[in-house]
C-alpha cells in the first residue's frame, strides 16, 4: 500500500519533507480488529509535535494521522459491531487498557496504557490501517468523508476543551489561536450557548477575518488585552505567551483550558513575567486537556450532526502531506487540512 512515512525525528526549520511517500505491506487485522481502507485523513498540529520529537513515536518507521475515515475491508475474528463496507472513523484514542481505575471511571484518556493512533501504532496517512472495533466510530451520514475527518480530533478534543471550561450561556469565552479546532468550537458554542460572547485572539489577519465571519464579536492579536474580562478561555497555540496573556485577561474565578499536547520551548522564559496578583490570584484556574475518550468522540459526532457543524476543509493529496504540514507549521490556516486518499 502507499503511505507517507516518518523515519526519524526531524527539525522542520531545516527540512520541508519530513515524510517519505513509499510502499508498505498492507496490515492484517488481528482478533477483534478491523482493516479500514482509508479515504480521508485530517492533518493535525500534533503531527508537528511528533515529527519534531515533542511527543515522539516510540518506534520508526511510523505512519502518522489520527483523524481517519474509511470503509471496512476485512475483519479479524470476533468482530461483532460492524460489517464489511461500513464507513467508520478512527480518532487519537487507538486503545486503552479498559481495566485500570481511569478506564473504569470513564477517564480512559488518562490510562497509563493509552495508545495513540499515528504515534504508538500506524495511523491514517496510508491506504489501509487497522483498529480494534471497540475504538472505531460510526459516522453520521450527513458528513462527507472529507468533512467528517476533522471532527475526530480537532472537533472532539475541541469539544472536550469546551466542556472542561465549565462555561455557561451568557458568559464570555476567549479562543486563543484559531485553527482547525477553534473554528469547530466557535460553531458549537454559537449553537449550544447562543448568549455567549466570543473573543478570538489570533496572530494572522486571515485567521481573525475567518473568526469574524464565524461570529466572533471581537478579534485581536494573542498579545492584545481583551476588551472585556473573560469567564473562560481555550488556548490552542504552541506558545507560552498565550498562557500569560490569557491569565491576565481572565475574570476573577475564570478558567483557562490549554488544548495542546505540548508547548514549544521558544518563549518559555515569558513565564517569569507571571505576576501572582494579576495573573493567578482570585481563584483563577489552569487545566490542560489530554487525549480524548470514546464518549467525547461519539458525543461530539452526534452533536455536530444535530447542529450541524460542518468543518471548512482544505483538501490535499496523500503525497502532498508534507505541503499541508509545512503550511500548518507556518500558520497558513483556514479551517482544517485533510488528505484525500484513494
Ligand atoms: Zn489531533
Ligand atoms: Zn486503563
Amino acid at each position: 500500500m502507499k503511505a507517507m512515512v516518518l523515519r526519524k525525528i526531524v527539525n522542520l526549520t531545516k527540512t520541508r519533507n519530513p515524510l517519505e511517500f513509499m510502499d508498505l505491506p498492507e496490515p492484517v487485522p488481528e482478533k477483534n480488529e478491523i482493516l479500514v481502507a482509508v479515504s480521508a485523513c485530517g492533518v493535525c498540529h500534533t503531527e508537528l509535535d511528533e515529527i519534531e520529537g515533542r511527543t515522539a513515536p516510540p518506534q520508526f518507521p511510523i505512519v502518522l494521522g489520527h483523524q481517519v475515515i474509511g470503509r471496512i475491508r476485512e475483519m479479524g475474528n470476533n468482530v461483532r459491531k460492524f460489517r464489511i463496507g461500513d464507513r467508520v472513523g478512527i480518532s487519537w484514542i487507538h486503545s486503552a487498557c479498559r481495566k485500570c481505575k481511569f478506564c473504569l471511571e470513564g477517564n480512559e484518556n488518562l490510562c497509563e496504557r493509552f495508545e495513540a493512533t499515528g504515534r504508538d501504532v500506524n495511523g491514517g496517512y496510508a491506504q489501509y490501517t487497522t483498529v480494534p472495533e471497540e475504538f472505531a466510530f460510526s459516522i453520521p451520514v450527513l458528513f462527507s468523508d472529507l468533512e467528517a475527518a476533522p471532527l475526530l480530533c480537532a472537533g472532539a478534543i475541541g469539544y472536550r476543551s469546551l466542556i472542561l471550561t465549565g462555561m455557561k450561556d451568557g458568559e464570555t469565552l476567549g479562543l486563543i489561536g484559531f485553527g482547525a479546532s477553534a473554528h469547530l468550537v466557535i460553531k458549537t458554542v454559537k449553537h449550544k450557548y447562543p448568549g455567549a460572547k466570543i473573543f478570538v485572539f489570533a496572530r494572522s489577519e486571515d485567521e481573525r477575518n475567518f473568526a469574524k465571519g464565524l461570529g466572533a464579536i471581537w478579534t485581536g492579536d494573542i498579545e492584545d488585552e481583551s476588551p472585556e474580562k473573560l469567564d473562560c478561555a481555550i488556548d490552542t497555540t504552541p506558545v507560552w505567551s498565550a498562557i500569560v496573556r490569557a491569565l491576565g485577561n481572565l475574570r476573577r474565578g475564570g478558567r483557562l483550558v490549554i488544548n495542546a499536547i505540548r508547548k514549544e520551548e521558544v518563549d518559555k522564559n515569558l513565564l517569569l513575567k507571571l505576576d501572582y496578583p494579576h495573573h493567578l490570584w482570585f481563584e483563577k484556574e489552569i487545566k490542560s486537556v489530554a487525549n480524548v475518550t470514546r464518549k467525547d468522540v461519539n458525543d461530539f459526532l452526534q452533536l455536530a450532526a444535530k447542529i450541524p457543524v460542518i468543518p471548512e476543509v482544505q483538501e490535499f493529496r496523500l503525497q502532498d502531506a508534507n505541503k499541508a504540514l509545512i503550511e500548518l507549521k507556518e500558520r497558513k490556516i483556514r479551517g482544517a487540512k485533510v488528505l484525500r486518499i484513494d
Side-chain angles (χ1 to χ4, degrees):
M1 66 170 183
K2 297 288 180 205
M4 287 296 277
V5 175
L6 180 68
R7 289 180 170 282
K8 59 178 193 313
I9 301 299
V10 299
N11 181 340
L12 288 175
T13 55
K14 299 204 173 115
T15 171
R16 296 177 75 82
N17 293 300
L19 308 185
E20 192 179 320
F21 191 54
M22 58 188 287
D23 275 306
L24 287 183
E26 198 175 301
V28 177
E30 292 180 11
K31 190 178 157 201
N32 301 316
E33 284 189 341
I34 54 176
L35 174 72
V36 177
V38 181
S39 56
C41 185
V43 177
C44 177
H45 198 277
T46 298
E47 271 96 80
L48 302 178
D49 295 315
E50 295 176 86
I51 292 167
E52 296 189 301
R54 288 179 293 278
T55 178
Q59 77 276 317
F60 296 94
I62 184 85
V63 178
L64 309 182
H66 57 264
Q67 308 185 86
V68 189
I69 299 288
R71 283 165 187 73
I72 299 178
R73 181 165 135 128
E74 263 178 53
M75 303 197 294
N77 290 334
N78 279 359
V79 170
R80 310 212 186 285
K81 232 171 95 180
F82 296 108
R83 293 189 181 169
I84 301 282
D86 283 355
R87 181 167 79 151
V88 293
I90 308 170
S91 182
W92 175 246
I93 181 164
H94 194 270
S95 63
C97 82
R98 298 198 270 170
K99 293 180 197 130
C100 73
K101 165 184 174 290
F102 295 120
C103 284
L104 294 175
E105 288 169 352
N107 298 318
E108 58 197 6
N109 58 313
L110 304 180
C111 177
E112 303 259 7
R113 290 174 59 199
F114 181 96
E115 283 191 315
T117 311
R119 183 191 64 189
D120 304 320
V121 296
N122 281 338
Y125 284 24
Q127 288 180 301
Y128 299 98
T129 193
T130 53
V131 68
E133 67 159 343
E134 290 300 322
F135 291 84
F137 304 94
S138 293
I139 303 296
V141 290
L142 173 76
F143 304 107
S144 70
D145 292 4
L146 266 78
E147 286 167 349
L151 301 174
L152 291 162
C153 174
I157 298 188
Y159 177 68
R160 182 174 182 86
S161 312
L162 181 62
I163 299 299
L164 291 181
T165 65
M167 97 171 270
K168 300 179 203 70
D169 197 15
E171 290 192 335
T172 48
L173 169 69
L175 297 176
I176 303 130
F178 201 74
S181 183
H183 104 276
L184 296 174
V185 168
I186 201 170
K187 287 180 182 223
T188 307
V189 171
K190 296 297 280 178
H191 173 87
K192 205 169 154 64
Y193 309 111
K197 287 201 255 177
I198 304 162
F199 300 76
V200 170
F201 304 75
R203 286 237 196 265
S204 92
E205 188 72 43
D206 275 356
E207 287 169 295
R208 293 196 288 265
N209 288 336
F210 186 38
K212 266 191 203 133
L214 293 177
I217 63 159
W218 173 92
T219 64
D221 189 81
I222 64 170
E223 305 298 337
D224 286 348
E225 194 170 322
S226 180
E228 240 180 89
K229 287 287 182 191
L230 305 170
D231 293 299
C232 43
I234 300 172
D235 168 29
T236 52
T237 71
V239 294
W240 295 89
S241 63
I243 295 181
V244 176
R245 188 47 99 169
L247 287 170
N249 282 330
L250 284 183
R251 205 189 293 286
R252 296 177 176 196
R255 178 178 289 187
L256 169 65
V257 172
I258 304 172
N259 174 3
I261 189 164
R262 295 290 183 273
K263 287 280 188 184
E264 295 178 8
E265 297 293 305
V266 275
D267 68 341
K268 201 171 180 179
N269 58 342
L270 282 178
L271 286 180
L272 291 172
K273 292 203 169 163
L274 278 179
D275 173 62
Y276 183 74
H278 177 62
H279 293 104
L280 289 168
W281 199 44
F282 280 120
E283 306 192 346
K284 293 183 183 179
E285 291 178 67
I286 310 180
K287 193 174 180 82
S288 66
V289 181
N291 307 324
V292 271
T293 65
R294 284 172 286 175
K295 184 175 185 310
D296 296 326
V297 180
N298 274 321
D299 286 357
F300 182 68
L301 286 170
Q302 297 315 313
L303 181 66
K306 184 171 151 236
I307 293 176
V309 172
I310 311 280
E312 318 273 331
V313 170
Q314 192 189 355
E315 182 181 330
F316 293 82
R317 297 183 305 167
L318 174 62
Q319 52 269 50
D320 296 330
N322 285 324
K323 182 170 184 280
L325 289 162
I326 295 297
E327 284 188 16
L328 203 58
K329 176 81 182 169
E330 293 173 350
R331 306 213 55 80
K332 292 177 188 152
I333 303 169
R334 189 184 169 93
K337 298 180 193 301
V338 179
L339 308 176
R340 179 187 285 283
I341 300 162
D342 349 274

